[in-house]
Amino acid sequence: MSSTSTDDTLATEAGIQTYLRNTPFTSHTVDQLSGGHINFTYRIHLHVPVDGMSTFILKYTPPYVASSADVDPMPFPPDRQVFIHILRFVLSMAFTQELCRDSKRKHYDWPTLFLSRVTTTP
């Protein structure tokens, strides 16, 4: 996988599928999830499970606000993901029982692109 995208192919389902080709995360289906404002968020369905999981959430952080992509893209640096990750970690430590019991992340091309699997408490 490349460390940066030279164009905006990662802002499409087909681009994500191509990007993940020849990796452990090769996917037969990529679905863009709604509701995101800052990132492009996808659920990827793997050909071969990784760590027993056949689906993962993938977030792509463009150098702009994702929801502004179709108009005049508003710049927003990808480094912000570091702060979001730290905040989630701190919150999960403070509220472990309410927020999250098991969180495994598979980071690739940090901070631009990362995969994660999160299970909530029963």
Side-chain angles (χ1 to χ4, degrees):
M1 289 189 268
S2 63
S3 61
T4 59
S5 176
T6 56
D7 56 31
D8 215 13
T9 58
L10 296 179
T12 67
E13 293 166 341
I16 291 294
Q17 203 161 19
T18 299
Y19 188 80
L20 294 174
R21 192 176 298 142
N22 300 319
T23 74
F25 297 96
T26 300
S27 303
H28 60 80
T29 306
V30 175
D31 298 314
Q32 186 168 2
L33 302 178
S34 63
H37 178 69
I38 302 298
N39 300 306
F40 290 96
T41 306
Y42 305 91
R43 176 170 296 278
I44 61 170
H45 303 265
L46 308 181
H47 283 290
V48 178
V50 172
D51 295 336
M53 301 295 295
S54 60
T55 68
F56 281 80
I57 299 297
L58 180 145
K59 284 190 172 187
Y60 163 55
T61 305
Y64 55 86
V65 174
S67 63
S68 71
D70 293 334
V71 290
D72 186 22
M74 181 173 62
F76 202 55
D79 295 344
R80 69 189 184 273
Q81 289 292 7
V82 173
F83 299 108
I84 292 169
H85 181 71
I86 291 169
L87 178 60
R88 285 185 180 152
F89 176 74
V90 169
L91 287 174
S92 70
M93 287 179 58
F95 303 103
T96 302
Q97 294 302 316
E98 291 80 13
L99 292 181
C100 179
R101 185 169 105 192
D102 177 32
S103 176
K104 292 185 180 179
R105 290 180 175 80
K106 304 285 185 183
H107 297 281
Y108 291 91
D109 294 347
W110 182 261
T112 305
L113 186 71
F114 69 93
L115 293 150
S116 67
R117 171 183 67 87
V118 176
T119 58
T120 57
T121 56

